[in-house]
Structure formats: C-alpha cells, structure tokens
Amino acid sequence: GQFFTSKETTHFMTGLYTIPENLSKVHILDAGAGSGILSCALLERLEQIDFIQAVELICYENDNNILDLLKENLKVYQANSKKDIQIQIIICL
C-alpha cells in the first residue's frame, strides 16, 4: 500500500539531518518519493542555508497515480528556489 508522511513528521525528519558547513552541494535520494512531501520539506530547509548553493535530488516512485503530483510539487520548489536544484524522477513501474 501507499503511506503518506504528514507535514509535521517531515519537518521533524528533516531536522534530524546534519548538514556539514563545508558543503556547497547536497545530494538527496528519496527512495519512495510519493507526493514529494519529504523532499520538499528538505528543500525548504536547505533554502535557508546560505552555504548550500546546489541540490541534486533523485526520486524513485512506483505509483503511476501519484507521479503528476510529485512532478508538480518538485517543479514548484525548483522554480521558486534561489539554489541550483537538479531533479531526476525515476519511475519503477
């Protein structure tokens, strides 16, 4: 089945990541992207960190019913970011 993470849980989870201050680029793997809420929460956090200049996000998803929402959510964050955000969505049907 498909399980979706709540917004409150995503903010808690993204707060658990330690981001070293010597990084200018962050690589993220979202192995079960769903609607992208966890990735978006992490992108939101990274947007506030000045020394991060670029983000490479790879998302895997296998539910064809959620792909359009995932793409749209990530596109919005990418378009509104001051960072260089590269996104790859890998579909595992």
Side-chain angles (χ1 to χ4, degrees):
Q2 183 80 276
F3 297 94
F4 295 100
T5 307
S6 70
K7 185 176 180 180
E8 296 78 18
T9 302
T10 62
H11 288 290
F12 170 75
M13 290 173 67
T14 59
L16 297 175
Y17 290 104
T18 301
I19 301 169
E21 292 184 17
N22 63 343
L23 288 180
S24 62
K25 184 174 186 176
V26 175
H27 302 270
I28 303 168
L29 171 64
D30 191 341
S35 65
I37 191 167
L38 183 56
S39 289
C40 288
L42 188 52
L43 290 172
E44 186 177 296
R45 179 174 173 216
L46 294 173
E47 191 69 31
Q48 306 305 313
I49 301 174
D50 291 334
F51 58 86
I52 301 295
Q53 298 300 311
V55 178
E56 179 183 336
L57 172 62
I58 299 174
C59 295
Y60 282 81
E61 184 50 52
N62 65 0
D63 185 345
N64 201 30
N65 295 317
I66 199 79
L67 286 174
D68 287 340
L69 181 59
L70 171 62
K71 290 174 185 176
E72 184 61 30
N73 287 340
L74 295 177
K75 186 168 84 173
V76 167
Y77 270 88
Q78 187 178 36
N80 293 303
S81 178
K82 298 174 193 145
K83 314 283 184 191
D84 174 22
I85 300 177
Q86 300 301 313
I87 298 171
Q88 180 180 5
I89 298 173
I90 299 171
I91 304 165
C92 306
L93 297 177

